[in-house]
Amino acid sequence: MIRIREAIIVEGRYDKNTLAQVVDAPILETSGFGIFHDSQRLALLRRLAETRGIIVLTDSDGAGFVIRNYLRGAIDPAQVKHAYIPDVAGKERRKRAASKEGKLGVEGMRPEVLLEALRRAGATIEGEDAPPPGARITKADLYAAGLTGGPDSRAARQRLLTQLDLPEHLSTNALLEVLNALMTRETFQNLYK
């Protein structure tokens, strides 16, 4: 079991149970959209973000992104890391039918996929050295690579998301955040030369 310094925020109890079998870290639930009306829970998440940092790990469906974006606006972004699971078609074993979008959520992911998502987000893992800081990828880099501002930039971003096994709902700003967690600016520029 891998020990992670940050607290991990998930949508529900099944997500929490799955993740607890993989990592040793505080894992808190948003109770789905319940976080929108629970000021005490939100205050707790803010306190955790200040003291140890948090990682938001929601499903890759539309609802997961609504919760993620709510937390992004409610908690200081400097204290939050975002972990993204890939879009995988299917249904969880405990459910009779697939979700509305037909994608597996956090609870349906294999342990190695969850660990990779946390590593990509920049989780502080006990016993592992942090990668050396480098120049960050900027929006100008995305523009130069044809990923923003052009007639085919949306299609180019979708190809990149598929290539990196990232969810299709990722906004341009979230993509920038993920790219900076995954690679150096030099690696990104070499990818698009």
Side-chain angles (χ1 to χ4, degrees), residues 35-101:
I35 191 69
F36 298 165
H37 308 290
D38 192 340
S39 59
Q40 289 180 326
R41 188 176 307 222
L42 186 58
L44 171 62
L45 296 182
R46 285 181 178 139
R47 227 176 12 253
L48 280 170
E50 289 172 5
T51 58
R52 65 187 305 147
I54 62 172
I55 299 173
V56 177
L57 178 63
T58 60
D59 296 348
S60 61
D61 60 5
F65 276 85
V66 168
I67 294 167
R68 180 184 299 277
N69 290 332
Y70 174 77
L71 293 174
R72 182 172 288 163
I75 301 172
D76 180 4
Q79 301 163 341
V80 180
K81 296 175 182 176
H82 291 273
Y84 298 93
I85 58 172
D87 284 338
V88 177
K91 74 169 193 67
E92 284 81 12
R93 275 186 265 145
R94 70 176 179 85
K95 295 181 179 176
R96 287 186 174 174
S99 69
K100 183 178 179 181
E101 294 182 30

